[in-house]
Amino acid sequence: MSTVEDTGAGQAHLLAAARGGDRAAFDALVAPHRRALHLHCYRMLGSIDQADDATQETLLRAWRGLAGYEGRAPLHHWLHRIATMACLRAAERRERLPAVHARAGTGS
């Protein structure tokens, strides 16, 4: 067996175990994607703290929705789609601070 086949078989085994409720298998399955997901969230949100939150939300949603992953696309595509939606929801929720404008000609 080649390394690619080993990786595919290993991923299939981890996926089956994670779908069966094995949290450690899920962690091993998503571990190679965590950094890329965090970077994706940071680029979308512009804040490390918000990227941390969105990444955690992504992983939670992926864990809860793992039964819905059909495997038609690579796992990282599915995870990035979840991350994108988490970031869009976070950007929608974030408070909009009013702009503060200095008044011209007011010197005290």
Side-chain angles (χ1 to χ4, degrees):
M1 262 186 161
S2 73
T3 306
V4 173
E5 290 171 339
D6 290 343
T7 303
Q11 183 171 341
H13 175 73
L14 288 173
L15 183 58
R19 284 182 172 157
D22 185 343
R23 182 63 186 207
F26 176 78
D27 289 342
L29 189 65
V30 299
H33 308 288
R34 283 181 190 262
R35 182 168 166 75
L37 291 171
H38 190 262
L39 183 58
H40 177 69
C41 291
Y42 175 71
R43 285 179 178 155
M44 286 190 72
L45 298 169
S47 162
I48 293 289
D49 292 333
Q50 288 181 347
D52 291 343
D53 292 344
T55 302
Q56 288 303 312
E57 182 179 341
T58 297
L59 296 174
L60 180 61
R61 288 181 180 274
W63 170 251
R64 290 179 178 168
L66 197 56
Y69 173 63
E70 298 174 358
R72 292 181 290 169
L75 181 66
H76 70 274
H77 288 191
W78 183 69
L79 292 170
H80 274 77
R81 185 174 58 100
I82 295 170
T84 298
M85 295 308 297
C87 291
L88 291 174
R89 280 189 294 277
E92 221 173 64
R93 286 189 308 259
R94 108 173 103 187
E95 293 179 5
R96 305 281 184 224
L97 298 176
V100 178
H101 299 284
R103 292 184 183 170
T106 57
S108 298

